[in-house]
Amino acid sequence: MVQPDTIYALSSGRPPVAIAVIRISGPRAGDALKALAGRLPEPRRAMFARVRDPKTTEIIDEALALWFPGPNSETGEDAAELQVHGGRAVIAAVFSALSQIDGLRPAEAGEFTRRAFENGKLDLTRVEGLADLIYADTDVQRRQALRQLQGFLGQRAEVWRTKLIEAQALVEAGIDFSNEADVASDVLTRSLAAVHELAHEIGDALADAKRGERLREGLVVAIAGPPNAGKSTLLNRIARREASIVSPYAGTTRDVIEVHLDLDGYPVILLDTAGIRETDDPVEREGVARARARATAADLVLWVVDATAPALMNAPQREHQDCWIVQNKIDLNPAAALPDQPRSFGISATTGAGVEHLVKVLSAHAADVLGSQEPALVTRERQRTALREAASALDRAITEGTAGREDVFAEELRLAARSLGRLTGRVDVEDILDVIFRDFCIGK
Ligand SMILES: Nc1nc2c(ncn2[C@@H]2O[C@H](COP(=O)(O)OP(=O)(O)O)[C@@H](O)[C@H]2O)c(=O)[nH]1
Ligand SMILES: [Mg+2]
C-alpha cells in the first residue's frame, strides 16, 4: 500500500487572530514537528517551542507544540499541532516551512475528518453530526448535532444491523436443516419475530414528522400579504435591524429577504416577500412569483394585513401549512377588530405594540414543532433514505417469511442490513463520500 500524504492546514479562524492552530496529520507528522519545533513533545502534552524554518534555522515564532501519535489520535494517524500567533505572515511562514518537507501537502476541505472516517474513528452519521456541530447556529441545533456526533443514530443502526445479521444467520442455518422440517420452521418463526420488532423500531424512527431535518434547517416562516401592509417593517422590527428595505411605495421588496433568528435556541428563518399582487412590471412580477413559491413552501405564513384597509384580508388557505393573521398598523386604527381565528394578532410594526407577544407565540410554536418530543434520530435526508430502504426490505422480508419462503426472506434481510451499512458508511459509500466531506471547511 502506498503511504498517504501528510497533510497540514490552518484549523482555526480567519487571520489575523490571537492564536492560530495548524494541524498536521499523516506518516511524516512527527518528522515535520521535529523539523520545526526541534524535538517531539511528550504525547498529548503541550510543549513550548521556538518554531524555526528548517532550511534557514531562523525563528519564525514562539509556539505551543502538541504530538498525538497514531492510532490514538483524532485522525487515527500520527498527528501534530502547532499553536502559533495568528498573524498572516506567521501562518504563511509556517506553511512555507512545512511545504519544503518531503511528503507534505496542504489538506483539502474535510480531509482530516475523512481520514478519521477511513481509519474507523467516526462512522458517517457521526461525521454528519460533526459537520452540523460546526454549522450549528442555535443551542438546540448544537445539542442535536452533538448527539449525532456521539453516535445517537450510528449506534442504534449498528445494533439493528447486528440483530438483522443474527436473524439472517439463524434462518440460513435453518435452510441447511431443511430436511428436518421442525427445526426449519422453528428458526423461521424466531427470526420472523426478531424482524417484526426491528421493522417496528425503524418505523418509529421514521415517523418523526422530519423534526430532525427541520431543526437542522430551521423553521421557515414567510411574511406575506398585500403590498404596503407593513411586511418589511415587521421583519425589521423582529430582526431588530434594517435587514429589509422599507418604503412607502408599494412593490419595493422585489426579492426574498431572509433573516435567521434564534428564538430561545430554536432556529427560525423569517422571509420577507414581495407584496403579492398583479403587476405589469416584469421585475416586480418575478418578485411576486418568488414570494409565492417561498411562501408556499414555508412551514408557517404570517399573513400581514393593513388594519386601515381591512378589505384585503383573504389569507391563503393551504393544507399542511399554518397561517396566522397579523393585523398591522393598529396605531392608525385602534378599533380594528381581529378576525375570528385562533391565531390572530393586532400589532403596530412601527410602534412595536404587540410585536413582542407575536414573537413569544412564534417562539413557543417553534419549540413545539421542532423540539417538544423526544430527540429525533434522523437528522438528514440521506439517513432517512437509507432507513426507508431498510424498512421496505424488512416489510418484504416479513411477507416472504410469513409465506414460508426462507431463501427470499434471508435475501431481503441481507438487503436491509446493507442499507443500514450504507447509513453508517460501512458499505457502498464511495459515491456519497465526496458530497459529505465537501461541506466541511479546510482544516477539519
Ligand atoms: N402607521 C403605521 N405605518 C406603518 C406600520 N407598518 C408599516 N407602516 C408604513 O407602511 C408603509 C409600507 O411599509 P412596508 O413595510 O414597506 O410594507 P410592505 O410593502 O408590506 O413591505 C411604510 O410607509 C411604513 O412606514 C405601522 O404599524 N403603523
Ligand atoms: Mg416590503
Side-chain angles (χ1 to χ4, degrees):
M1 225 180 94
V2 271
Q3 271 213 339
D5 291 336
T6 296
I7 53 174
Y8 60 89
L10 176 67
S11 289
S12 53
R14 180 192 294 269
V17 283
I19 304 289
V21 177
I22 294 167
R23 293 209 293 171
I24 309 163
S25 179
R28 301 222 56 204
D31 296 334
L33 190 59
K34 258 187 277 178
L36 267 70
R39 62 187 176 90
L40 281 186
E42 259 182 76
R44 296 173 295 280
R45 295 218 180 252
M47 173 184 91
F48 172 82
R50 291 197 175 81
V51 175
R52 289 172 192 271
D53 183 312
K55 291 261 157 69
T56 64
T57 71
E58 188 202 350
I59 295 176
I60 297 171
D61 191 13
E62 296 185 335
L64 280 186
L66 289 136
W67 167 234
F68 305 98
N72 297 319
S73 67
E74 202 191 310
T75 55
E77 305 175 312
D78 282 352
E81 210 173 281
L82 281 171
Q83 299 181 5
V84 296
H85 293 106
R88 289 194 189 87
V90 176
I91 295 164
V94 174
F95 276 12
S96 154
L98 288 170
S99 70
Q100 291 167 35
I101 301 171
D102 268 354
L104 263 68
R105 65 161 170 83
E108 289 161 21
E111 204 172 2
F112 289 90
T113 310
R114 187 165 186 153
R115 289 189 175 189
F117 167 72
E118 277 161 1
N119 291 323
K121 293 274 165 182
L122 295 171
D123 73 23
L124 269 193
T125 65
R126 292 181 193 239
V127 166
E128 287 168 331
L130 179 56
D132 289 348
L133 191 59
I134 291 170
Y135 289 107
D137 283 327
T138 77
D139 221 35
V140 187
Q141 285 179 318
R142 175 186 62 73
R143 278 190 213 119
Q144 168 165 294
L146 185 64
R147 264 196 305 272
Q148 228 44 320
L149 174 61
Q150 291 175 332
F152 191 50
L153 173 61
Q155 280 167 5
R156 189 75 67 89
E158 267 309 287
V159 170
W160 287 336
R161 208 176 69 94
T162 310
K163 284 190 184 164
L164 261 177
I165 292 168
E166 281 166 14
Q168 186 195 339
L170 201 63
V171 79
E172 271 166 0
I175 295 170
D176 295 340
F177 287 103
S178 52
N179 46 358
E180 295 169 49
D182 291 357
V183 179
S185 89
D186 179 49
V187 290
L188 183 60
T189 311
R190 272 166 56 202
S191 135
L192 253 175
V195 170
H196 266 291
E197 196 186 307
L198 276 176
H200 194 75
E201 285 181 24
I202 294 177
D204 274 356
L206 285 168
D208 58 357
K210 300 198 176 176
R211 278 198 318 282
E213 284 109 310
R214 281 164 113 182
L215 176 55
R216 236 189 112 234
E217 284 152 22
L219 190 79
V220 180
V221 178
I223 301 183
N228 248 342
K231 299 182 294 298
S232 303
T233 313
L234 174 61
L235 177 119
N236 289 343
R237 165 70 59 177
I238 293 178
R240 292 195 189 86
R241 64 188 166 96
E242 300 291 305
S244 209
I245 312 159
V246 182
S247 96
Y249 306 105
T252 303
T253 311
R254 292 182 163 177
D255 213 334
V256 181
I257 303 224
E258 69 174 63
V259 171
H260 292 236
L261 304 174
D262 176 343
L263 298 183
D264 293 337
Y266 292 95
V268 169
I269 299 167
L270 197 60
L271 306 177
D272 182 20
T273 58
I276 293 175
R277 64 166 187 181
E278 299 307 320
T279 170
D280 290 333
D281 179 341
V283 181
E284 192 189 344
R285 202 157 46 211
E286 175 58 25
V288 171
R290 287 187 198 182
R292 285 216 170 97
R294 285 302 288 273
T296 310
D299 298 303
L300 167 70
V301 171
L302 299 182
W303 187 258
V304 180
V305 292
D306 187 332
T308 61
L312 292 164
M313 272 221 286
N314 315 331
Q317 295 292 326
R318 284 187 205 99
E319 267 181 79
H320 314 299
Q321 189 183 49
D322 294 318
C323 180
W324 300 353
I325 305 289
V326 179
Q327 214 172 118
N328 188 30
K329 310 195 188 180
I330 52 163
D331 54 311
L332 297 180
N333 184 10
L338 283 175
D340 188 18
Q341 288 218 359
R343 287 281 190 239
S344 53
F345 303 83
I347 65 155
S348 168
T350 44
T351 69
V355 175
E356 200 176 316
H357 173 66
L358 172 63
V359 172
K360 214 175 246 165
V361 179
L362 189 58
S363 231
H365 178 74
D368 195 37
V369 175
L370 300 177
S372 59
Q373 297 111 319
E374 64 186 81
L377 271 173
V378 180
T379 55
R380 291 195 180 218
E381 186 58 36
R382 186 195 73 81
Q383 302 163 354
R384 188 169 298 279
T385 306
L387 275 188
R388 278 209 190 108
E389 283 166 9
S392 31
L394 288 183
D395 281 350
R396 292 191 304 268
I398 289 170
T399 312
E400 298 296 337
T402 311
R405 286 186 287 268
E406 288 114 330
D407 45 349
V408 196
F409 174 70
E411 173 60 15
E412 293 294 357
L413 296 191
R414 205 181 59 75
L415 289 177
R418 198 174 180 82
S419 300
L420 293 178
R422 256 199 304 278
L423 172 62
T424 55
R426 280 177 167 269
V427 292
D428 274 7
V429 287
E430 270 318 306
D431 48 336
I432 55 167
L433 290 185
D434 289 336
V435 180
I436 292 177
F437 289 101
R438 202 179 47 210
D439 284 351
F440 275 90
C441 12
I442 301 219
K444 192 63 216 173

